[in-house]
Structure formats: C-alpha cells, structure tokens
Amino acid sequence: MARAKEFDYNDVLDKATEIFLEKGYYNTSFQDLVDYMGIHRRSIYDTYGDKKQLYLKALERYAKFVNQNYFSLISDDMTIHQKFETIFKYSAFPMKDCPKGCLFVNSAIELAPSDNDISTQVKLFFENTKKFFVDILTVAKEKKEIDQSANIYKIASYLNNALIGIRVLVKCSPSENELNDIIKTTLSVL
C-alpha cells in the first residue's frame, strides 16, 4: 500500500525555488535540494521529476507568484505613473519574504542559451510581462494619461527591459537612493 505524501506540494516547491534563486541551477546539487526541501530524494523524483523537471515547475510557480503580486499591488484608481512605480519598487525593494533578483533573469543568463525548454519559459515570462505593460499603457492612453501619439508597444518593451535591468541590479545591492533615481529616470518616459 502506497503511503500518502506528508508534505505540501507548493510549500516544498517554493523551497526549491528559493534555493535555485539563491544558488543557481548548476550550483544547486541534488543533495542541496534534498536538504533544503526537507523531503527524501525518492519523494522529489516521484513528485516533481528530475532536477530539470523540478526547475521547470519552479519557474512556472515563480511566474504565477510574480504575476499575482503585480496584479494585487496595482489598482484601477492609480495613475499610470503610480502603477509602474509600484511595479518597479516591488522588484527593486522586495518584501522580506521575497528573495532579491529574479529566477527568470537568472535562467536567461545561466540556462537559456543552452536549453530550449528553459529558453521557451523565459521568453514566455518576458513576453507576458510586456503584454501586461501594453494592457496598462492601453488603459492609460484611453484615459489620456499619456500622449495619444505614443507607441505603447515600444514603451512596453522599454519598460520591460528596464525592469529586467532592475532585477539584475538588485543582486549587487545598490543603495536605495540609486535605485529610486533609476526608477524615477526610467518612468520619465511616461
């Protein structure tokens, strides 16, 4: 008779995400995963698959986490500037329970050049962020918050690229003033 799982699937997957974010894919050994996730090697394989399958599941969960946070942080009554400032500050100054940086940025650098599955997930995440920005900018244009001749697709691409840059920079622990200045300058395009 098979034993019931004695752990929460998502809680343990969150732990895998944390260690991958901290150490990277290649620097995280399977034993690191066993130790940090707090479950047996066999349970990892049976539940999540091999290391790469686990990583892909971690990326999927991380994408949902980030997207849910973006949606929960902004509201319809905010101005376009307030919405983007909130998004950028969320990435620049993560809450205590959020690690610095971004699993997708790390994946883009470490794995995407040599792994098509990872590359596909990274591209999808960045494209979804850009689409989210296009949606925000479309509403702002309808409300006449931005210039009517503005190319929202170009602005969305620029802001997406800038946000990726912020996610890289926070790993180097710049000062709060520097990050605020970068955000202010970036958002001046609005």
Side-chain angles (χ1 to χ4, degrees):
M1 181 164 86
R3 288 180 32 174
K5 289 185 177 123
E6 297 176 7
F7 58 89
D8 181 274
Y9 179 91
N10 287 327
D11 287 346
V12 172
L13 185 56
D14 288 344
K15 288 182 180 258
T17 304
E18 289 170 12
I19 194 165
F20 282 134
L21 186 53
E22 179 186 326
K23 295 181 78 168
Y25 181 82
Y26 290 120
N27 287 332
T28 302
S29 70
F30 211 88
Q31 189 58 49
D32 291 336
L33 291 166
V34 169
D35 294 344
Y36 197 77
M37 293 168 72
I39 62 174
H40 298 288
R41 182 180 299 265
R42 184 81 251 154
S43 294
I44 294 173
Y45 281 115
D46 290 346
T47 307
Y48 305 100
D50 64 16
K51 183 178 172 183
K52 181 179 172 184
Q53 291 169 323
L54 172 62
Y55 194 81
L56 287 167
K57 287 176 175 68
L59 279 174
E60 185 179 315
R61 178 129 170 97
Y62 185 80
K64 288 177 185 172
F65 169 78
V66 170
N67 292 331
Q68 286 173 348
N69 283 339
Y70 284 163
F71 283 117
S72 70
L73 292 170
I74 64 170
S75 62
D76 290 339
D77 62 332
M78 295 172 117
T79 67
I80 183 77
H81 194 275
Q82 290 170 326
K83 289 176 183 177
F84 279 106
E85 183 177 43
T86 300
I87 290 167
F88 272 76
K89 287 193 173 189
Y90 167 77
S91 293
F93 309 110
M95 296 174 264
K96 288 182 182 181
D97 60 338
C98 298
K100 288 183 177 181
C102 173
L103 190 60
F104 280 96
V105 170
N106 295 356
S107 300
I109 295 165
E110 183 182 17
L111 299 165
S114 61
D115 188 302
N116 287 334
D117 295 331
I118 303 293
S119 178
T120 299
Q121 292 301 314
V122 169
K123 287 176 190 173
L124 180 63
F125 179 77
F126 290 154
E127 280 299 315
N128 285 338
T129 302
K130 188 165 55 173
K131 286 177 190 172
F132 176 55
F133 288 178
V134 166
D135 291 344
I136 294 172
L137 290 162
T138 299
V139 170
K141 200 170 191 179
E142 290 168 0
K143 290 181 175 181
K144 298 188 179 3
E145 289 184 87
I146 59 174
D147 188 317
Q148 295 301 294
S149 65
N151 184 322
I152 58 174
Y153 299 99
K154 287 182 180 179
I155 295 171
S157 290
Y158 170 77
L159 292 172
N160 189 36
N161 183 65
L163 186 63
I164 292 167
I166 288 283
R167 290 176 175 147
V168 171
L169 193 59
V170 297
K171 297 283 270 186
C172 304
S173 300
S175 73
E176 187 172 326
N177 286 340
E178 181 181 3
L179 287 170
N180 278 318
D181 287 344
I182 291 168
I183 292 168
K184 182 179 179 183
T185 303
T186 300
L187 299 184
S188 68
V189 302
L190 299 172

